[in-house]
């Protein structure tokens, strides 16, 4: 059930979307950039040892904690720093007004603008997050550990985008009927309850 207030916000939000925007193209750009970067990362691996391969599960756990922390303390807290405040505005004041626990579904591909991160964020992710940590790991561990870290964290980000989109599909969509999505979607739906959104369910992916 969608309220009149939510309908009005969606209409106003959609009126500000550029006319050339295409939700499907948005998906293609994100995953094309991700696939290209992923390919480059893997090309730099050189016979990693089993010990170095441990970087994969450790990075997965680290990125899950990072996701929870950023979602709780940046996306739902109005930090008075311009860039971080913009993240809060886009997430809490736009995404959570566009979708509530009573009306989670996309009405069409243009609504993906309210779900997916801008492609520019992929560049930020690669340069401001993965690259510095990767360089540090190459110094303290090995180049293989560094490349496995950036590849795994990038894969986690792409997985994040996919699952988040899946939660906002109509229930009869084939992806929405996947077992994993059906198990995780109620957790994200509960997070979209205005009474809970600042307190519960900050892992959009896996509730570790």
């Amino acid at each position: 059930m969608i309220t009149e207030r939510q309908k009005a916000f969606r209409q106003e939000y959609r009126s500000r979307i550029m006319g050339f925007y295409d939700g499907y193209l948005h998906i293609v750009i994100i995953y094309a950039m991700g696939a290209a970067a992923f390919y480059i990362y893997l090309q730099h691996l050189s016979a990693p040892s089993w010990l170095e391969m441990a970087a994969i599960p450790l990075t997965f756990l680290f990125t899950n904690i990072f996701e929870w922390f950023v979602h709780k303390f940046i996306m739902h807290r109005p930090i008075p720093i311009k860039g971080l405040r913009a993240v809060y505005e886009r997430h809490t004041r736009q995404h959570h007004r566009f979708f509530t626990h009573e009306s989670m579904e996309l009405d069409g591909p243009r609504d993906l603008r309210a779900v997916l991160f801008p492609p520019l964020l992929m560049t930020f992710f690669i340069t401001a997050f993965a690259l510095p940590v990767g360089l540090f790991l190459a110094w303290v561990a090995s180049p293989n550990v560094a490349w496995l870290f950036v590849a795994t964290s990038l894969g986690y980000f792409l997985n994040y985008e996919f699952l988040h989109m899946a939660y906002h599909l109509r229930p009869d969509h084939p992806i929405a009927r996947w077992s994993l999505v059906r198990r995780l979607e109620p957790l994200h739906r509960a997070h979209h309850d205005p009474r809970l959104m600042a307190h519960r369910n900050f892992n959009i992916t896996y509730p570790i």
Side-chain angles (χ1 to χ4, degrees):
M1 181 176 64
I2 185 169
T3 65
E4 291 301 318
R5 184 178 180 182
Q6 189 178 3
K7 284 181 181 179
F9 177 79
R10 286 189 172 195
Q11 184 175 359
E12 191 273 334
Y13 183 93
R14 289 165 180 153
S15 72
R16 292 186 279 110
I17 299 175
M18 296 294 185
F20 60 80
Y21 176 80
D22 185 297
Y24 296 127
L25 181 60
H26 192 159
I27 296 172
V28 169
I29 291 173
I30 287 176
Y31 284 92
M33 292 175 64
F38 199 74
Y39 176 79
I40 292 171
Y41 296 160
L42 295 185
Q43 288 299 303
H44 284 82
L45 284 176
S46 178
S49 68
W50 285 107
L51 185 59
E52 289 174 324
M53 292 291 286
I56 296 175
L58 290 175
T59 299
F60 179 90
L61 181 60
F62 169 79
T63 312
N64 186 268
I65 295 170
F66 181 80
E67 172 200 357
W68 180 91
F69 180 88
V70 170
H71 194 176
K72 179 178 176 68
F73 293 107
I74 296 179
M75 296 173 123
H76 283 282
R77 300 289 188 278
I79 298 174
I81 299 174
K82 185 175 181 181
L84 299 182
R85 178 66 186 230
V87 173
Y88 165 80
E89 292 287 337
R90 189 179 190 281
H91 184 75
T92 296
R93 298 181 61 83
Q94 296 180 19
H95 179 72
H96 274 272
R97 291 176 67 188
F98 199 100
F99 301 103
T100 68
H101 64 301
E102 295 180 329
S103 182
M104 290 279 286
E105 295 79 25
L106 298 157
D107 286 335
R110 285 178 64 81
D111 286 353
L112 285 169
R113 178 65 182 78
V115 176
L116 302 172
F117 283 113
L120 182 62
L121 190 69
M122 180 71 72
T123 304
F124 171 81
F125 174 83
I126 294 171
T127 58
F129 171 68
L131 183 60
V133 178
L135 289 172
F136 175 75
L137 290 174
W139 178 53
V140 300
S142 73
N144 276 338
V145 169
W147 290 115
L148 288 170
F149 169 82
V150 294
T152 304
S153 56
L154 175 61
Y156 191 101
F157 176 83
L158 296 175
N159 176 243
Y160 171 104
E161 286 284 72
F162 176 80
L163 286 175
H164 192 200
M165 178 187 66
Y167 303 150
H168 290 284
L169 296 173
R170 293 182 177 276
D172 59 350
H173 192 283
I175 294 176
R177 294 201 296 265
W178 290 5
S179 176
L180 177 64
V181 174
R182 285 191 289 107
R183 291 173 72 89
L184 295 176
E185 188 275 340
L187 300 177
H188 189 59
R189 181 180 293 273
H191 173 69
H192 271 268
D193 185 332
R195 299 166 297 180
L196 302 177
M197 69 178 185
H199 309 286
R200 298 283 301 276
N201 295 12
F202 293 107
N203 273 124
I204 288 177
T205 56
Y206 310 103
I208 296 175

